[in-house]
Amino acid sequence: MVQLWLCQRENSKETAHAMLSALLERQGCPVRSPERGPGGKPFLPGGPHFNLSHSGSWALCALGDEEVGCDVERIRPRRPRLPRFALSDREFQWFSRQGQRWEDFYTLWTLKESLCKCTGRGLDCSPRSLAVPLLQPGAGALFDGFYFQSYGGSGWRAACCTRLTPPPTQLLDGEEIL
């Protein structure tokens, strides 16, 4: 089972690490420095599995008993050509039908990043080649052997990807563990 904790604070990188430390302490796991896998993904030998993300003032921490990838992004305008560069033809068509809003781009982008982080590969290929389901925030799907869940709120989007069980449909309040 995987749990996701979202928190909004000024120093989001420190907040993501603080959430992980607090959760590990709650589970009675020694807080130790993570090691890195071949693709650079951090891991704790012997578990549990975790993944962190931060963007702007948003911090996201995933913790569970299986491989997990998560991503959170603050919604902000970017270069106009970025969606065409980063999205497959199928995804770009969906994005265009939605009105080419940055919110929809970040929904797809967080799904792509969560997939990269779940597999541990990182973004070692063209983002266009990473196929993800076409989801709205709040929706989930089994797609190409991975479970995906999309999340969103005012000014942010997030996603989680797992292999064995569907990610949670609700995010937990990170303030409760800090």
Side-chain angles (χ1 to χ4, degrees):
M1 179 172 145
V2 171
Q3 291 185 318
L4 275 93
W5 302 83
L6 180 71
C7 188
Q8 186 177 22
R9 285 195 174 177
E10 200 56 39
N11 192 330
S12 60
K13 183 176 182 179
E14 284 182 14
T15 301
H17 288 275
M19 286 191 293
L20 176 62
S21 293
L23 290 168
L24 291 173
E25 193 172 296
R26 270 187 177 185
Q27 291 188 0
C29 298
V31 178
R32 55 197 186 274
S33 295
E35 295 182 17
R36 296 221 174 242
K41 181 178 180 178
F43 71 95
L44 298 169
H49 297 279
F50 76 95
N51 200 236
L52 303 176
S53 181
H54 56 89
S55 177
S57 62
W58 295 101
L60 185 63
C61 175
L63 187 71
D65 56 4
E66 65 175 290
E67 289 292 343
V68 61
C70 68
D71 187 47
V72 65
E73 295 288 341
R74 176 177 59 99
I75 297 170
R76 62 195 184 282
R78 303 291 293 265
R79 295 184 325 264
R81 291 192 184 112
L82 180 61
R84 181 67 268 179
F85 169 78
L87 304 177
S88 71
D89 290 340
R90 176 183 68 91
E91 294 159 352
F92 189 78
Q93 288 171 3
W94 178 86
F95 170 72
S96 295
R97 284 193 308 271
Q98 304 303 309
Q100 295 192 356
R101 299 175 323 141
W102 286 110
E103 292 86 345
D104 299 311
F105 171 77
Y106 281 109
T107 297
L108 294 172
W109 183 256
T110 57
L111 291 164
K112 287 176 180 280
E113 281 223 25
S114 69
L115 173 62
C116 291
K117 293 169 82 175
C118 181
T119 63
R121 288 178 45 183
L123 196 54
D124 67 349
C125 60
S126 166
R128 291 182 64 151
S129 68
L130 298 168
V132 295
L134 306 174
L135 300 176
Q136 294 289 345
L142 175 61
F143 184 82
D144 203 19
F146 291 90
Y147 288 99
F148 291 88
Q149 182 68 41
S150 183
Y151 312 91
S154 178
W156 64 274
R157 291 294 183 266
C160 183
C161 178
T162 58
R163 287 184 191 259
L164 303 177
T165 59
T169 57
Q170 299 293 315
L171 296 170
L172 300 170
D173 184 357
E175 288 293 340
E176 293 179 6
I177 58 171
L178 296 173

